[in-house]
Amino acid sequence: MVYIETPRLLLRDWKEEDFVVFSEMNSSPSVMKYFLHPLSEEESLVLFDAVRSDFLRYGYGGYAVEQKSDGAFVGFTGFHNFSFDVDFAPGIEIAWRLKQEYWNRGYATEACLDYAKENLPFTTVWAFTALPNKPSQRVMQKIGMEFEKNFMHPSVTDGHPLKEHVLYKSLL
């Protein structure tokens, strides 16, 4: 099923054949630069299953992103329920991850915040990333999210260069 269609992209349900490219994307050191580590195939499978099961549980989740011109898997974007030890949890996070060859094309900003406003059952969306991740911060700004604050991510060890995160918010 296609949930969102933009001039260049389809945001759709996941297909089994997406897993191979999804796993390759998650194992890329450049794609995962602002995460604690690239994911193993087993870790990607856990994430793949979790992203797909969110649709069954909540009626929304991470959408597979397909380039309309050639049907290529670009990455994913969508919504994720999060709950960890911070003062803004639990909440709904908008997230994206794209294969490197699709960076700097505006795909991350093209996707799904407007869809959420009209079709999904929540009124606040959060986005957060490690402080050094300027590209994702630019996406947050371009889609109209407002900076809230910096925070120390409780899942990242003290002293790690990715410990400090930025938090953005959008009211739908």
Side-chain angles (χ1 to χ4, degrees):
M1 174 176 177
V2 173
Y3 295 90
I4 303 166
E5 183 172 348
T6 73
R8 301 180 295 164
L9 303 172
L10 298 175
L11 279 66
R12 59 165 172 76
D13 280 330
W14 292 84
K15 303 173 185 173
E16 289 299 322
E17 58 265 27
D18 293 332
F19 176 71
V20 172
V21 184
F22 177 76
S23 182
E24 290 170 357
M25 175 182 68
N26 292 331
S27 69
S28 165
S30 58
V31 170
M32 300 300 287
K33 178 178 180 177
Y34 299 110
F35 291 85
L36 294 178
H37 59 82
L39 301 183
S40 68
E41 186 173 341
E42 295 78 24
E43 290 168 320
S44 280
L45 182 58
V46 169
L47 179 58
F48 186 74
D49 290 342
V51 168
R52 296 188 315 162
S53 71
D54 278 351
F55 281 100
L56 299 174
R57 201 170 324 152
Y58 306 112
Y60 57 85
Y63 308 98
V65 179
E66 179 179 306
Q67 190 169 249
K68 285 170 73 172
S69 64
D70 61 3
F73 178 86
V74 171
F76 74 93
T77 188
F79 303 97
H80 170 71
N81 287 352
F82 68 88
S83 179
F84 54 92
D85 190 18
V86 289
D87 61 352
F88 54 91
I92 309 292
E93 170 192 18
I94 186 171
W96 50 85
R97 185 172 307 155
L98 304 178
K99 293 175 58 182
Q100 186 171 1
E101 59 262 38
Y102 297 106
W103 292 359
N104 299 311
R105 296 187 187 186
Y107 285 175
T109 60
E110 192 170 315
C112 59
L113 197 56
D114 289 338
Y115 176 82
K117 291 176 184 177
E118 298 176 16
N119 298 286
L120 297 177
F122 42 84
T123 58
T124 303
V125 174
W126 302 94
F128 45 88
T129 190
L131 183 62
N133 189 349
K134 301 303 183 199
S136 281
Q137 290 179 54
R138 281 193 300 278
V139 170
M140 294 169 196
Q141 294 159 3
K142 285 181 180 179
I143 63 175
M145 300 188 86
E146 297 288 329
F147 175 79
E148 278 287 303
K149 65 181 180 177
N150 289 15
F151 71 99
M152 298 300 174
H153 199 296
S155 299
V156 180
T157 58
D158 290 344
H160 193 285
L162 301 178
K163 176 79 173 173
E164 188 171 359
H165 274 54
V166 294
L167 176 67
Y168 281 74
K169 178 181 179 179
S170 181
L171 299 175
L172 304 181

